[in-house]
Amino acid sequence: MDEPQQSPPGMPNAPTPPPGMPITPPPTTAPIMQPTAGTPPPTGIPAYPKKPFDMRFLLIGLIILALVGGGIFALTRTPPQEAPAPTATPTPSPTPVQRVKVPLATESAYLDLSQAVASLSASINNLQLNNTTLIPPTIELSLGFPN
Amino acid sequence: MKKFIGVGIIVCALLLFLPAKKHVHAASPDAYQTYLKQFDTYRTTLNSFKIARDEYLKYKTLTAEQSALELTRNILSQRALLLRAYLQFLSEKLQESLYMSPSDKTLYTTLITNEIKFLEDNNALMTSVAALDDAEGTSQQLTSHYTILQSSIYQTIVGLKAAELGELDANFYQLFTRAYEMFQANRSSYTQEKQSTIDRWFLQAQNKRSLYQQKMDAIAKENSTLKSSSMDEITSTFTTIQKEFLEARQYLAEASTFLQEIVSAMQYRD
């Protein structure tokens, strides 16, 4: 024997069937509605009437974006560092050496001597002591015939 | 017309009596070229001789022997001519050396002349060479004399190099003396401190020249003992002398640099 089902608390109890009638559980899903004969089956979702996109909204959006972006950039931008202006530092100028020349320095004899000494130094440094032209010839002394 | 002819005659006469410019011709470059040509001929002959000799030693035929004999005569002759050409070149260099002392020049010229005579005598023997044994004997003469020949050559080379340095030293001494005399004549133009500085610098330059002279004396001493019994010893002594020449040149260069500084300092009072 099936016992009558108890309703959950707070919910009204279902009407009890009359005695002698079998109790059948209610269908969990609704039965599929069969197409009625004579009516054509629906072909698809009916087309939604499209509204044309208003370009003005895009323009306004872009302007707002540019304004907001520009504002943020202006706020966060750091000012460029300026190079410090060079300041002139006073440099001490060398004390001019006043070397007094003797009268001899302008005489032709001294100038000739100076030139001759410079020429001699160059001659000494340019002297080729390893003169290859003076190397004696290498000859074969043995004729190579057995005695 | 007669005037023009007269002037022409006078001009021609003047030109004739003008002292002719002395044409100085250095003979050593020509002698060197001759020596180089002779060296080429020697090398070519040596190659032919080696081929003929090897052929003879391999086959021992009469034809090969005759060919080897002819080429042996030829190589002995070319060898003597090569050495002679080289000695002639050295002789020309000796004659051109202006700063070699007359005694040294005579000594080295005698050495070279003796060696040339030996080679000429040796070359004259070639005509009498009739067999390979004779050729060996003639060659042996030169081989046994070769050490003396080499020592004469090296002694002459050292003498030539010493003369080259001697010329520069003589030039240095002349300039040193001129600078010293000039300084002494103008001594009062300089401060006391400058005078003592320049005096000290003159001494330092003189010391450098003394070191140069010591080195040259050592070279002269070693050169006189170059007559050795072995070729290795001669070559070793010659190498030592070469190094000493470089050191002597360095001392002279330093002395010359000091003199340059002195002359430069002489233009200022302090």
Side-chain angles (χ1 to χ4, degrees), chain B residues 116-238:
Chain B
I116 288 174
K117 190 169 184 315
F118 170 82
L119 290 170
E120 280 171 355
D121 291 347
N122 189 253
N123 204 21
L125 292 174
M126 295 306 146
T127 48
S128 60
V129 170
L132 285 174
D133 288 343
D134 295 344
E136 273 289 352
T138 311
S139 176
Q140 196 57 42
Q141 271 192 7
L142 177 64
T143 307
S144 58
H145 183 77
Y146 198 64
T147 315
I148 299 167
L149 174 69
Q150 286 289 298
S151 68
S152 299
I153 287 172
Y154 281 119
Q155 274 185 305
T156 310
I157 292 171
V158 170
L160 284 168
K161 288 185 179 185
E164 270 186 278
L165 265 176
E167 180 185 349
L168 292 170
D169 175 55
N171 197 0
F172 168 80
Y173 185 68
Q174 189 211 352
L175 294 175
F176 180 88
T177 312
R178 259 171 71 187
Y180 189 72
E181 284 171 1
M182 206 177 272
F183 173 66
Q184 291 300 338
N186 295 276
R187 201 177 177 87
S188 55
S189 308
Y190 304 101
T191 59
Q192 280 294 325
E193 196 185 344
K194 184 70 177 271
Q195 283 178 30
S196 56
T197 303
I198 291 183
D199 278 336
R200 196 173 63 248
W201 286 6
F202 268 119
L203 270 177
Q204 282 182 285
Q206 211 166 14
N207 287 344
K208 285 287 176 193
R209 186 173 178 252
S210 299
L211 290 171
Y212 158 81
Q213 281 176 321
Q214 282 171 26
K215 210 42 97 176
M216 292 306 285
D217 289 346
I219 288 170
K221 199 176 172 184
E222 279 165 20
N223 197 26
S224 64
T225 59
L226 248 176
K227 288 171 192 164
S228 175
S229 55
S230 76
M231 270 305 297
D232 290 341
E233 214 170 310
I234 290 173
T235 314
S236 165
T237 311
F238 183 70

Side-chain angles (χ1 to χ4, degrees), chain B residues 10-181:
Chain B
I10 290 165
V11 169
C12 287
L14 281 172
L15 284 172
L16 277 173
F17 284 104
L18 273 177
K21 191 183 174 184
K22 200 177 175 183
H23 182 67
V24 180
H25 177 68
S28 71
D30 289 346
Y32 185 64
Q33 288 306 315
T34 310
Y35 159 62
L36 289 181
K37 278 180 194 163
Q38 189 55 50
F39 213 156
D40 282 344
T41 313
Y42 168 75
R43 279 197 203 100
T44 315
T45 313
L46 184 66
N47 288 337
S48 306
F49 161 72
K50 279 179 177 174
I51 292 165
R53 181 192 63 193
D54 293 348
E55 204 170 308
Y56 165 68
L57 291 173
K58 197 173 176 184
Y59 301 113
K60 296 276 185 183
T61 60
L62 286 172
T63 314
E65 187 182 356
Q66 185 58 32
S67 175
L69 180 63
E70 276 174 24
L71 280 158
T72 304
R73 271 200 217 115
N74 204 0
I75 191 65
L76 288 175
S77 178
Q78 289 302 324
R79 193 170 73 179
L81 285 174
L82 171 66
L83 289 170
R84 195 186 182 289
Y86 175 72
L87 289 172
Q88 192 60 46
F89 166 60
L90 279 188
S91 176
E92 295 297 344
K93 290 289 277 184
L94 276 174
Q95 298 312 313
E96 286 168 16
S97 180
L98 298 172
Y99 282 84
M100 188 180 278
S101 69
S103 60
D104 282 352
K105 199 178 264 189
T106 309
L107 170 70
Y108 297 130
T109 307
T110 308
L111 285 175
I112 296 296
T113 310
N114 288 344
E115 294 308 322
I116 288 174
K117 190 169 184 315
F118 170 82
L119 290 170
E120 280 171 355
D121 291 347
N122 189 253
N123 204 21
L125 292 174
M126 295 306 146
T127 48
S128 60
V129 170
L132 285 174
D133 288 343
D134 295 344
E136 273 289 352
T138 311
S139 176
Q140 196 57 42
Q141 271 192 7
L142 177 64
T143 307
S144 58
H145 183 77
Y146 198 64
T147 315
I148 299 167
L149 174 69
Q150 286 289 298
S151 68
S152 299
I153 287 172
Y154 281 119
Q155 274 185 305
T156 310
I157 292 171
V158 170
L160 284 168
K161 288 185 179 185
E164 270 186 278
L165 265 176
E167 180 185 349
L168 292 170
D169 175 55
N171 197 0
F172 168 80
Y173 185 68
Q174 189 211 352
L175 294 175
F176 180 88
T177 312
R178 259 171 71 187
Y180 189 72
E181 284 171 1

